[in-house]
Amino acid sequence: MPDPSQEMPKRPDPRVTRTRELLRGAFLELLEEKPYERITIADITGRATVNRKTFYLHYETKDHLLRSVTDHILDDLFGEARESQPRDLSIEEQQRYIAGRIFAYVKKHRSFFEVMFERKAMTDFVQYMKRYFARFYEEKFANLDESRLPVQKDVIASYIGSAYVGVIHGWIGGGMQQTPEEMTRQMIELNVQGPIRMVRDAQSRT
């Protein structure tokens, strides 16, 4: 008999995938049009052209859909930064590549991040996004010998994640005046030199 553990994983049902895409897309459109608390299940199903029963086959509540949409966007964001990364890059080149993909993705999905940061559809979105960043960098640093570092790896990952989220939040709040390329350059300067060192060096020149 075949070993069940060796069986190929089942492919997602394309009808399920399509329905969830319709619901997510309708929800994102509605988030751009009115506050989260004013969006109803009827609004979502009407925009997605599915019935209420179909909605509940996929999502328990509107909050469940919001969390699913957020996970989908953030998984996609870090997939962009992770999966297509070239091999054999220095640590500085890796960080520049990652930052470039992150800022380009945020720009591309500007409306979602504006809603989440500025209209606060999810009250804990900032912390939620920080955790995504921290996990991403914990994976990146998994093979580092912590005994050779001045601080713990998880502290480094958390610090970088918080810095990214803060910079992205400020970028969006300021109307995204800078290009993703300029934001990448500044983020790399902050990561490589550190804010305190940059300020100290500037003070020493005066």
Side-chain angles (χ1 to χ4, degrees), residues 61-80:
T61 62
K62 186 177 70 170
D63 287 346
H64 183 198
L65 174 57
L66 174 63
R67 192 64 57 130
S68 175
V69 166
T70 302
D71 285 340
H72 182 78
I73 291 285
L74 294 181
D75 284 343
D76 198 30
L77 164 63
F78 290 102
E80 280 277 314

Side-chain angles (χ1 to χ4, degrees), residues 52-158:
R52 195 179 185 91
K53 182 179 179 181
T54 299
F55 177 92
Y56 287 113
L57 287 174
H58 298 276
Y59 303 104
E60 297 173 8
T61 62
K62 186 177 70 170
D63 287 346
H64 183 198
L65 174 57
L66 174 63
R67 192 64 57 130
S68 175
V69 166
T70 302
D71 285 340
H72 182 78
I73 291 285
L74 294 181
D75 284 343
D76 198 30
L77 164 63
F78 290 102
E80 280 277 314
R82 179 188 294 111
E83 293 172 8
S84 55
Q85 184 175 320
R87 305 281 182 181
D88 302 322
L89 296 179
S90 68
I91 184 65
E92 290 84 3
E93 290 170 331
Q94 286 180 22
Q95 295 312 302
R96 187 172 293 106
Y97 180 87
I98 291 168
R101 305 294 282 196
I102 287 170
F103 285 109
Y105 189 93
V106 171
K107 179 78 172 181
K108 179 180 177 181
H109 297 275
R110 175 177 181 167
S111 58
F112 169 80
F113 288 100
E114 283 179 337
V115 165
M116 299 306 288
F117 277 122
E118 302 306 317
R119 300 188 205 170
K120 298 179 173 58
M122 182 190 290
T123 55
D124 63 341
F125 178 71
V126 169
Q127 293 302 320
Y128 200 70
M129 192 171 177
K130 283 180 181 179
R131 287 195 292 273
Y132 260 84
F133 266 102
R135 286 197 298 269
F136 176 79
Y137 275 96
E138 283 168 4
E139 289 176 17
K140 285 285 175 191
F141 302 152
N143 295 325
L144 286 177
D145 181 356
E146 193 166 78
S147 68
R148 302 180 66 180
L149 293 169
V151 296
Q152 293 170 243
K153 289 186 288 187
D154 62 335
V155 172
I156 298 172
S158 179

Side-chain angles (χ1 to χ4, degrees), residues 1 4 7 12 19-21 57 60 74 88 92 115 169 206:
M1 294 182 62
E7 292 180 7
T19 301
R20 289 179 178 172
E21 286 175 352
L57 287 174
E60 297 173 8
L74 294 181
D88 302 322
E92 290 84 3
V115 165
H169 192 177
T206 60

